[in-house]
DNA sequence: CACTCCAATGCTCATTTGAGCGACTCAACG
DNA sequence: CGTTGAGTCGCTCAAATGAGCATTGGAGTG
């Protein structure tokens, strides 16, 4: 079309100031004062068709600007666009202004907490893994419908975090008033044998089985890069390379997946205590929490594979998700 | 009620993030993508009534923001509001950003020139007095419909201005291609006798008579204060006081008027060579050019008395005109 | 348990609006 | 002088929309 700015439309005369103001007056009456076109037409002694055409012209000329605003730190326009683009069930984009990481994380957590409260209904089963973002959410959970809360992963000892998956599940259960399914085990063990032995423990085994009953989960998304994933960071150099070689771009609750969002099988996962890829895929509603443009690739892959159905992201990540080839990707319902 | 930030409506539940985003999605589809409510309803599997109610809620919650923008340095929204408030025939508000006086004057002149070109039709008779703002306009007149141009006032010797009413009329006539009615005489004389003698001169007399045939005029508006009016500044201290005492708040083309916009008769006007108050009132379409909030009083008075029918003002003056008791004032058609 | 209240939902009917079409104006051109 | 073509205007008819009303579904209450 036209490169905006000054280029004129072919066959369209540039409006003089008077016509411009008349058009603006009509636009004002219609859009701002909510009067009907018929009414305006009678006022001005012109036909309603003329009014309609003036309004069309006003919109074409960019004279009327309509925008979807921000409320409660949510960028609703971006949320709506992401919802459409990726066919999401729920979505919230937090308006990460000039905030530093911890602030963004806090805002993300708060928003996710409110969204979760909206989305859950009594009787649902909520699954929660260890994840920094999920922890941030759990800390801000206020009241939740009565649901059973299921621990999806083992506990990870992390410098700077004294909370574990168990604490996350407990806060959620407290907010909900429902029962909690909890087990005590580390997220990652030294080798597959130790992990297998632990999985054989009845508490752990029944705890992990519960993952199959989960209807809703809130999870973090890790990108397969240093500092972008708890799991990547506990992997050995060898494992990092090997998984990357298998096409792994990210992980959710310790389940690594490739660019198509398909879970990737690798011996490394054998030494993790967490739900299986199949179990993850079986959860009806998975709400992914993530922030930072760098995670766009991992998030998009997870969306493509249908691993996640809803998003809570910051504005930077949202922009990157929309920016690249987003439009081409749509997840099946 | 609740005291948190934005008061809630009684009986209206605060929306959670999910509902907020759903609403935003609907708003986006309707307002930004222009889809019909029926269409959206079918998409989402809800009734069209639900969609309509969501859209209402979105607007009430301030989630959808509609604004009338700026184009070509015109504040169209303000122009439209002034048009409504004062029942103007034409109006343009120039968006005086952070500009200094000369820049505002230049922008005002340019806008007035374009507006005049819009408003005039072949066969009209255009009257122009001396005025700084009218000069600024005349200098920017490009092409005008073919009209006769009539000089309304004598010429004023002013420091810093080598152009006079004659020059103004000549530029306009050149832009129009029409004939010019010109006479050579000073705007102000020492005393009434000298002025009377001059008015007796046939050239001057016939020149002034032409004012009666004028259909359209562009004029400046002076406020009755130091530096706010060419005429005030050539008045003697005695005259200034006396006219102020008579209630004069401003002048147009040397015709002083009171707060009701009624021309005020005073011996001072006898020593001016300009059109009469009756002649001014007889002009069908008078476009007033003015800028600066300080002139609001004079402009409003002129509007109230029907001395002017159209405005070209800067944003500051527009805001002041709207701000005060503007809403109460409406000029008869 | 019956009852009321309240909000949410979907319906009907009248009005408003959009799409497309023919009539008109004006100006360039054969 | 008629023709042609572009642009504008107002009309018709069908679709979209708004206002008001009845129904539904709970939550709270006696």
């Amino acid at each position: 079309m036209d490169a905006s700015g000054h280029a004129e439309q072919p066959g369209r005369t540039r409006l003089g100031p008077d016509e411009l103001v008349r058009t603006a007056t009509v636009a004002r009456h219609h859009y701002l004062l909510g009067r009907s076109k018929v009414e305006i037409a009678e006022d001005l002694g012109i036909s309603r068709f003329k009014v309609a055409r003036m309004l069309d012209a006003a919109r074409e000329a960019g004279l009327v600007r309509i925008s979807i605003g921000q409320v409660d730190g949510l960028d609703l326009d971006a949320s709506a666009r992401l919802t459409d683009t990726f066919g999401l069930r729920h979505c919230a984009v937090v308006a990460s202004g000039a905030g530093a990481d911890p602030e963004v994380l806090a805002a993300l957590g708060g928003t996710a907490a409110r969204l979760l409260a909206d989305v859950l209904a009594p009787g649902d089963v909520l699954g929660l893994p260890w994840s920094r973002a999920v922890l941030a959410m759990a800390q801000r959970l206020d009241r939740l419908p009565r649901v059973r809360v299921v621990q999806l992963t083992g506990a990870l000892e992390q410098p700077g975090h004294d909370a574990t998956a168990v604490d996350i599940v407990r806060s959620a259960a407290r907010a909900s008033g429902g029962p909690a399914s909890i087990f005590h085990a580390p997220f990652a063990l030294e080798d597959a044998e130790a992990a297998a032995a632990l999985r054989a423990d009845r508490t752990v085994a029944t705890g992990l089985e519960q993952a199959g009953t989960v209807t809703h989960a809130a999870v973090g998304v890790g990108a397969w890069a240093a500092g972008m994933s708890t799991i990547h960071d506990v992997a050995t150099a060898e494992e990092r390379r090997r998984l990357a070689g298998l096409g792994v771009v990210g992980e959710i609750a310790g389940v690594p997946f490739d660019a198509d969002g398909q879970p990737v099988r690798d011996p490394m996962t054998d030494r993790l205590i967490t739900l299986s890829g199949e179990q993850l895929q079986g959860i009806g509603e998975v709400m992914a929490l993530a922030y930072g443009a760098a995670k766009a690739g991992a998030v998009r892959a997870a969306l493509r594979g249908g691993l996640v159905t809803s998003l809570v992201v910051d504005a930077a990540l949202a922009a990157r998700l929309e920016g690249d080839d987003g439009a081409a990707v749509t997840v099946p319902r």
Side-chain angles (χ1 to χ4, degrees), chain A:
Chain A
M1 269 287 150
D2 114 358
S4 102
H6 325 287
E8 289 198 23
Q9 319 280 356
R12 171 167 292 282
T13 331
R14 189 189 201 88
L15 294 172
D18 190 47
E19 194 55 25
L20 222 43
V21 171
R22 286 185 186 289
T23 305
T25 305
V26 170
R28 192 179 127 70
H29 278 257
H30 186 69
Y31 289 113
L32 263 28
L33 307 182
R35 306 183 60 204
S36 86
K37 304 181 186 186
V38 176
E39 231 180 331
I40 298 170
E42 282 170 0
D43 252 30
L44 300 175
I46 57 181
S47 79
R48 70 181 180 84
F49 305 98
K50 174 76 175 167
V51 171
R53 285 174 180 128
M54 288 173 84
L55 287 172
D56 289 347
R59 298 195 64 170
E60 263 185 49
L63 202 146
V64 176
R65 201 161 305 163
I66 304 183
S67 61
I68 311 290
Q70 276 184 210
V71 176
D72 291 338
L74 283 181
D75 184 334
L76 294 173
D77 192 29
S79 308
R81 285 198 306 269
L82 280 188
T83 302
D84 283 359
T85 306
F86 295 105
L88 301 173
R89 261 210 283 275
H90 309 281
C91 179
V93 175
V94 311
S96 56
D101 264 26
E103 290 160 34
V104 176
L105 186 58
L108 199 77
T111 299
R114 287 185 297 147
L115 181 56
L116 192 63
D118 259 22
V119 168
L120 283 179
D124 287 339
V125 180
L126 172 64
L128 297 173
W130 160 255
S131 141
R132 278 178 291 240
V134 173
L135 174 61
M137 178 190 82
Q139 289 171 338
R140 282 162 192 82
L141 280 174
D142 187 11
R143 252 174 303 182
L144 234 41
R146 187 177 178 86
V147 296
R148 193 155 56 87
V149 186
V150 172
Q151 176 181 343
L152 296 181
T153 70
L156 199 64
E157 274 317 310
Q158 279 246 302
H161 285 290
D162 53 356
T164 69
V166 174
D167 301 298
I168 290 175
V169 170
R170 283 213 178 105
S171 335
R174 202 177 314 123
S176 148
S181 158
I182 280 178
F183 61 88
H184 290 275
F187 198 156
L189 288 117
E190 290 289 317
D191 53 59
E193 288 71 37
L198 199 49
R199 279 196 208 94
D201 177 83
R202 221 182 56 201
T203 325
V204 175
T206 52
L208 282 174
E209 270 169 27
Q210 299 300 315
T213 68
V214 166
T215 62
H216 292 64
V219 303
V221 176
W224 202 248
M228 304 286 293
S229 152
T230 303
I231 297 307
H232 178 274
D233 292 356
V234 302
T236 65
E238 161 66 16
E239 287 168 336
R240 292 175 189 173
R241 270 197 305 276
R242 196 175 64 226
L243 285 170
L246 290 169
V248 167
V249 299
E251 58 83 19
I252 287 176
V255 175
F257 54 83
D258 61 20
D260 289 328
Q262 295 305 317
V264 170
R265 231 171 244 299
D266 182 272
M268 190 232 166
T269 60
D270 292 342
R271 66 185 188 88
L272 301 179
I273 304 288
T274 183
L275 84 175
S276 69
E278 288 75 24
Q279 283 175 320
L280 179 58
Q281 289 177 310
I283 301 176
E285 163 71 17
V286 179
M287 179 185 303
L289 282 54
Y291 68 97
K295 284 197 172 168
V299 171
R300 190 175 294 121
L303 286 166
R304 188 179 285 126
L307 285 182
V308 314
T309 52
S310 299
L311 286 183
V312 182
V313 298
D314 72 330
L317 178 49
R320 181 69 68 86
L321 283 172
E322 285 190 88
D324 297 2
D325 60 350
V329 182
T330 310
V331 328
R333 306 258 158 151

